[in-house]
């Protein structure tokens, strides 16, 4: 646990926006940076609790793992269904702007 | 001049050969029409829920046990976030902080010495799809059939000190996966893929040099060549006073060189977090115990047993033991006719050659182990000669069936009838008085000539052992 408060600047917000492929102008980035800091401030508040000796919880669910049996079923969706939301398709493939 | 030491760590991705995908019931079968093994889950539709394939977990745990990992009874799936058109969810479901298994190792043999390579971790994840890039119309074509296929990633410690060790480790890992029956091991189709982290450092230096990550090596030979190239490249850089840059490099097999993959992985920030759609995997210790009991004999243990039990030479034992299907074939044949060395020889020469030429696997082979054993037996018994055996092998291999019935049907049964052979020998001796005289004059080598003539007369069916005896008797009286 660190005592340091985490704060994000506009540049951090810009980096996160870039990773999310969002093109945002400076005003919006500044607004998001402020909101991020509000969220992080709340996390910092939680960090004040002494959790030494407490097992980390990865999920609030107490259920046992739910498994599927390994059986293939390909008939739930047709290819036309799968491709129907694609902006561009040739009936076989999704077509996207060239990526390399 | 400074001597450098190479440091290599490997990341292997192995596709688990389950029937269905990791989180949905779509088929994992290879080579289907594009986008026909796809549903709402693996195409990343909003609001869907992944449900974990139990067999995939079993396979992953078995691999972990086979390389002496500790299997964590509690592990967690995490989202690895990045954008790429072959990843429709926008994240890969992988494991980060709490992987399925850790702290394993594998013993490899290089130049007669055994070395232990540490395995840091084994975790489960789902595979991405495939894209085909068109040069002509400035577009990429995406096929999601592979999306969601179960993978395990096996991460080694940086324990390897050269390309030979890296390849030995990969071969061993490959043999174990295939032996467990959990991965088909096909490197060309991408069922077994490897990335290498490579760096060099002056001998004696503790800290690691800056590493490059190599990708796109789809055969053992390419792994070896890519590593050799990359090590030389790094040495040249350092000796010219330049620095190795930490980056991902692609191997180009045609040019036998590695090239920087600039751009794509700039900002390597995957922002991992536990996947809220999947609750942690809790493994019942009783399952782990059952799975452990089901582990087959390891390739190394089998090799040792072949050495002890059948007295095979080291190299032969290794080839027959490494591949489980081949080993099963071998043992089935030996149990049908207990001549372990003869059967090994026939398998290593004739059978492997035919399998390679026809490109089929031993399990698809029509010549059953019992039929191979029968072939070896009828040669032992003198029904046919070894030479005839080799001649008819390709046909037996393609059509299957009983070897004995085949030779009887084709009239290839060896002439072991002394009176018939007597006549043939007499004829040949009568036809070749000069050679007989030469023999009597001390030129014993003409026996080979007589043998050839007798074989010609009998269409190769004379029992050579008997012919030798008869020849000796007739020539020396």
């Amino acid at each position: 646990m660190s005592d340091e408060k985490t704060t994000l600047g506009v540049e951090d917000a810009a980096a996160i926006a870039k990773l999310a492929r969002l093109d945002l102008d400076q005003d919006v980035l500044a607004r998001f940076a402020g909101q991020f800091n509000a969220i992080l401030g709340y996390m910092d508040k939680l960090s004040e609790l002494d959790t030494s000796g407490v097992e980390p919880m990865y999920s609030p669910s107490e259920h046992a793992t739910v498994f599927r049996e390994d059986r293939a079923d390909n008939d739930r969706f047709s290819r036309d269904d799968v491709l129907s939301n694609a902006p561009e398709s040739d009936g076989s493939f999704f077509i996207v702007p060239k990526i390399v | 001049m400074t001597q450098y030491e190479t440091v290599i760590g490997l990341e292997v991705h192995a596709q688990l050969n389950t029937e269905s995908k990791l989180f949905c019931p779509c088929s994992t079968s290879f080579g289907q029409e594009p986008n026909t093994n796809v549903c709402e889950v693996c195409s990343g539709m909003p609001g869907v829920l992944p449900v974990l394939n139990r067999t995939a977990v079993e396979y992953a745990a078995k691999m972990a046990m086979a390389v002496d990992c500790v299997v964590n009874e509690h592990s967690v799936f995490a989202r690895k976030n990045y954008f790429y058109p072959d990843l429709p969810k926008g994240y890969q479901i992988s494991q980060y902080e709490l992987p399925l298994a850790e702290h394993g190792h594998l013993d490899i043999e290089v130049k007669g010495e055994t070395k232990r390579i540490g395995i840091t971790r084994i975790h489960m994840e789902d595979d991405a799809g495939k894209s085909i890039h068109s040069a002509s119309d400035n577009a990429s074509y995406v096929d999601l059939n592979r999306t969601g296929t179960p993978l395990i990633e096996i991460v080694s410690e940086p324990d390897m000190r050269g390309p030979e060790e890296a390849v030995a480790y990969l071969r061993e890992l490959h043999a174990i996966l295939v032996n467990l029956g959990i991965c088909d091991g096909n490197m060309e189709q991408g069922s077994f893929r490897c990335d290498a982290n490579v760096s060099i450092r002056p001998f004696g230096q503790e800290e690691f040099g800056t590493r490059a990550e190599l990708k796109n090596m789809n055969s053992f030979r390419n792994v070896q060549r890519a590593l050799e190239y990359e090590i030389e490249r790094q040495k040249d850089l350092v000796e010219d006073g330049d620095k190795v840059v930490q980056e991902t490099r692609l191997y180009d097999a045609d040019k036998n060189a590695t090239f920087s993959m600039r751009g794509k992985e700039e900002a390597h920030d995957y922002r991992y977090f536990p996947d809220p759609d999947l609750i942690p995997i809790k493994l019942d210790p009783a399952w782990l115990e059952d799975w452990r009991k089901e582990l087959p004999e390891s390739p190394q243990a089998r090799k040792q047993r072949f050495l002890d039990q059948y007295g095979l030479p080291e190299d032969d034992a290794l080839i027959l033991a490494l591949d489980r299907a081949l080993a099963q074939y071998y043992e089935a044949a030996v149990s049908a006719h207990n001549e372990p060395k003869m059967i090994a020889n026939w398998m290593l020469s004739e059978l492997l050659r035919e399998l390679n030429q026809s490109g089929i696997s031993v399990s698809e082979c029509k010549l059953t182990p019992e039929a191979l054993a029968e072939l070896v037996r009828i040669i032992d018994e003198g029904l046919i000669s070894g030479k005839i055996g080799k001649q008819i092998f390709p046909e037996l291999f393609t059509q299957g069936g009983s070897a004995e019935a085949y030779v009887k049907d084709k009239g290839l049964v060896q002439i072991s009838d002394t009176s018939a052979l007597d006549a043939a020998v007499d004829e040949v001796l009568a036809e070749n008085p000069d050679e007989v005289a030469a023999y009597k004059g001390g030129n014993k080598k003409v026996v080979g000539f007589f043998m050839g003539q007798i074989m010609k007369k009998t269409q190769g069916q004379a029992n050579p052992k008997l012919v030798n005896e008869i020849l000796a008797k007739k020539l020396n009286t």
Side-chain angles (χ1 to χ4, degrees):
Chain A
M1 198 173 67
S2 145
D3 288 337
E4 248 172 74
K5 298 272 179 269
T6 322
T7 52
L8 293 182
V10 173
E11 318 78 62
D12 299 309
I16 293 165
K18 193 180 174 201
L19 286 170
R21 302 290 193 273
L22 294 173
D23 190 13
L24 305 175
D25 63 35
Q26 289 295 311
D27 292 352
V28 180
L29 287 176
R31 194 163 83 225
F32 278 148
Q35 291 178 358
F36 288 156
N37 283 324
I39 296 166
L40 289 170
Y42 179 63
M43 295 297 160
D44 285 333
K45 185 78 193 161
L46 292 179
S47 294
E48 287 170 15
L49 269 178
D50 181 5
T51 56
S52 54
V54 180
E55 282 278 307
M57 183 178 74
Y58 288 91
S59 164
S61 166
E62 301 273 316
H63 294 297
T65 318
V66 178
F67 288 106
R68 237 183 59 244
E69 290 307 310
D70 180 30
R71 266 192 289 280
D73 175 6
N74 253 18
D75 299 327
R76 297 166 304 129
F77 277 82
S78 71
R79 176 158 71 184
D80 290 344
D81 290 335
V82 167
L83 294 171
S84 60
N85 289 320
E88 202 184 347
S89 159
D90 60 2
S92 307
F93 290 95
F94 295 91
I95 301 178
V96 299
K98 195 161 182 235
I99 42 181
V100 284
Chain B
M1 210 176 71
T2 323
Q3 292 289 305
Y4 293 97
E5 179 177 51
T6 305
V7 176
I8 301 170
L10 294 170
E11 289 168 16
V12 167
H13 286 89
Q15 255 178 26
L16 301 176
N17 58 6
T18 52
E19 194 181 302
S20 64
K21 292 184 178 179
L22 186 54
F23 296 116
C24 65
C26 288
S27 165
T28 54
S29 67
F30 185 83
Q32 300 303 305
E33 281 292 302
N35 292 307
T36 53
N37 292 351
V38 183
C39 74
E40 78 282 17
V41 175
C42 56
S43 62
M45 294 293 158
V48 298
L49 205 57
V51 186
L52 183 57
N53 182 335
R54 186 180 185 273
T55 304
V57 179
E58 174 189 333
Y59 286 1
K62 282 182 170 169
M63 182 57 191
M65 292 176 192
V67 291
D68 289 313
C69 280
V70 176
V71 180
N72 294 323
E73 282 175 23
H74 201 240
S75 69
V76 171
F77 281 110
R79 292 187 180 180
K80 177 181 180 178
N81 300 280
Y82 66 95
F83 285 117
Y84 211 64
D86 61 16
L87 188 80
K89 299 192 297 303
Y91 56 87
Q92 180 185 31
I93 303 179
S94 182
Q95 297 190 291
Y96 188 58
E97 275 177 89
L98 283 175
L100 186 82
E102 297 167 276
H103 314 302
H105 57 81
L106 188 61
D107 291 336
I108 59 166
E109 218 169 282
V110 175
K111 295 181 189 122
E113 286 194 29
T114 304
K115 179 169 178 180
R116 177 155 289 189
I117 308 297
I119 291 177
T120 317
R121 56 187 275 151
I122 297 181
H123 67 252
M124 306 184 66
E125 57 190 31
D126 61 354
D127 207 348
K130 275 184 185 166
S131 350
I132 302 163
H133 311 295
S134 166
S136 58
D137 56 4
N138 213 31
S140 291
Y141 293 78
V142 181
D143 173 9
L144 300 182
N145 280 350
R146 196 180 68 178
T147 310
T149 298
L151 294 177
I152 48 174
E153 180 173 333
I154 305 162
V155 182
S156 85
E157 293 288 310
D159 284 349
M160 285 150 279
R161 293 291 170 268
E164 300 77 20
E165 290 185 11
V167 171
Y169 167 85
L170 287 175
R171 284 189 188 279
E172 190 65 38
L173 211 58
H174 184 269
I176 293 172
L177 283 162
V178 174
N179 188 58
L180 288 170
I182 63 171
C183 172
D184 69 26
N186 190 321
M187 288 180 87
E188 274 169 27
Q189 289 178 4
S191 311
F192 181 92
R193 317 196 275 268
C194 148
D195 302 334
N197 287 306
V198 194
S199 62
I200 57 167
R201 63 182 173 192
F203 261 106
Q205 180 182 306
E206 277 280 321
E207 69 193 274
F208 294 132
T210 307
R211 66 170 196 264
E213 185 182 3
L214 301 189
K215 287 179 181 286
N216 204 32
M217 304 167 287
N218 61 357
S219 69
F220 292 123
R221 184 176 145 71
N222 282 349
V223 171
Q224 171 107 20
R225 289 177 2 132
L227 287 170
E228 281 167 358
Y229 174 87
E230 179 61 19
I231 292 160
E232 284 311 307
R233 188 189 71 89
Q234 293 190 9
K235 280 184 191 163
D236 287 348
L237 277 178
V238 173
E239 271 163 18
D240 292 348
D242 290 332
K243 281 203 168 76
V244 175
V245 185
Q246 183 165 343
E247 61 180 353
T248 303
R249 299 179 68 85
L250 286 184
Y251 177 66
D252 183 330
D254 294 330
K255 299 193 175 81
N256 187 30
T258 63
F259 296 94
S260 177
M261 209 173 118
R262 263 182 293 272
K264 186 199 163 186
E265 313 221 358
E266 157 199 31
H268 230 179
D269 185 352
Y270 291 128
R271 295 149 294 148
Y272 283 95
F273 63 89
D275 191 321
D277 285 345
L278 288 154
I279 57 176
I281 309 179
K282 254 186 239 161
L283 289 178
D284 186 337
W287 291 0
L288 291 177
E289 218 171 288
D290 287 346
W291 293 341
R292 194 178 288 281
K293 282 185 204 138
E294 287 168 18
L295 292 182
E297 181 182 35
S298 76
Q300 283 306 330
R302 189 159 51 222
K303 183 191 122 187
Q304 193 54 49
R305 187 165 62 77
F306 280 13
L307 291 174
D308 300 340
Q309 189 173 338
Y310 302 122
L312 297 180
E314 181 98 18
D315 289 350
D316 295 2
L318 186 66
I319 297 172
L320 292 175
L322 217 50
D323 179 331
R324 188 178 169 191
L326 206 60
Q328 281 169 346
Y329 189 103
Y330 174 67
E331 297 209 270
V334 170
S335 73
H337 181 60
N338 191 17
E339 282 292 342
K341 283 184 188 169
M342 291 284 289
I343 289 183
N345 288 342
W346 278 87
M347 283 183 66
L348 293 170
S349 51
E350 310 304 311
L351 183 66
L352 284 185
R353 186 195 62 226
E354 294 299 325
L355 287 172
N356 282 337
Q357 277 175 6
S358 58
I360 67 172
S361 73
V362 68
S363 48
E364 299 163 312
C365 165
K366 282 200 175 154
L367 179 74
T368 63
E370 292 74 23
L372 178 79
E374 190 179 302
L375 178 68
V376 175
R377 177 175 58 75
I378 62 177
I379 294 167
D380 273 358
E381 290 170 354
L383 194 63
I384 57 167
S385 65
K387 201 174 158 202
I388 295 276
K390 287 190 177 177
Q391 276 171 17
I392 65 172
F393 195 90
E395 214 171 327
L396 284 175
F397 176 84
T398 32
Q399 68 178 48
S402 152
E404 187 164 359
Y406 179 89
V407 297
K408 285 190 170 153
D409 184 48
K410 300 265 168 180
L412 294 170
V413 173
Q414 192 160 257
I415 304 169
S416 300
D417 171 353
T418 325
S419 59
L421 290 178
D422 258 344
V425 172
D426 285 339
E427 274 176 48
V428 167
L429 294 182
E431 283 160 14
N432 300 285
D434 292 352
E435 282 74 14
V436 174
Y439 181 89
K440 302 230 170 185
N443 181 1
K444 307 287 182 205
K445 280 186 190 154
V446 290
V447 169
F449 167 78
F450 293 134
M451 179 65 88
Q453 293 300 307
I454 293 160
M455 282 296 173
K456 217 164 149 190
K457 234 179 228 318
T458 58
Q459 279 89 45
Q461 291 175 44
N463 180 331
K465 213 173 125 217
L466 278 181
V467 171
N468 259 328
E469 285 169 15
I470 297 169
L471 265 177
K473 212 188 305 168
K474 291 192 190 288
L475 287 169
N476 294 325
T477 45

